[in-house]
Amino acid sequence: MSTVGTNNVNDPRRPNKIVRYKPPASGTPSEDPTPDYMNLLGMIFSMCGLMMKLKWCAWVAVYCSFISFANSRTSEDTKQMLSSFMLSISAVVMSYLQNPQPMQPPW
């Protein structure tokens, strides 16, 4: 027999302790700053890869761009993210066009 509708004496739940979930307001400081930091790092590394012709900087820029894209929210600016990603891809392409040799380990 089902006792869904009846009040059970052994029920440990307390109705006066129930708090309804309220989503936090957007724009609060509790948002994760990781996509913004990774976007900035991606742009810095891609500029280093383009200007200094360092292949590892260009690959780190691609990695940072992927992390920024993966952690971003749908409400964020997609143009800035797309430009960062395209800048990092162009850094990789330009560094390999100028020197098509495989990347040397930095150590």
Side-chain angles (χ1 to χ4, degrees):
M1 216 188 289
S2 176
T3 60
V4 175
T6 61
N7 192 1
N8 194 353
V9 179
N10 296 328
D11 191 4
R13 294 176 290 186
R14 294 174 278 180
N16 58 347
K17 296 290 183 180
I18 296 175
V19 178
R20 188 170 184 89
Y21 173 74
K22 294 176 189 163
S26 62
T28 58
S30 64
E31 289 184 10
D32 189 20
T34 303
D36 296 332
Y37 290 145
M38 286 295 150
N39 200 3
L40 179 66
L41 277 176
M43 287 192 178
I44 290 171
F45 277 122
S46 59
M47 283 297 165
C48 289
L50 279 172
M51 301 295 179
M52 295 184 229
K53 299 175 182 75
L54 296 172
K55 293 178 184 176
W56 65 270
C57 278
W59 283 113
V60 169
V62 170
Y63 183 71
C64 288
S65 295
F66 274 129
I67 291 175
S68 175
F69 177 71
N71 289 327
S72 68
R73 300 195 187 272
T74 56
S75 61
E76 290 185 14
D77 187 22
T78 57
K79 290 180 184 177
Q80 182 181 3
M81 198 168 309
L82 184 65
S83 66
S84 172
F85 185 69
M86 293 305 290
L87 184 66
S88 63
I89 293 294
S90 67
V92 170
V93 168
M94 292 305 291
S95 64
Y96 277 96
L97 278 178
Q98 293 171 356
N99 184 10
Q101 300 297 322
M103 187 174 71
Q104 299 293 325
W107 56 90

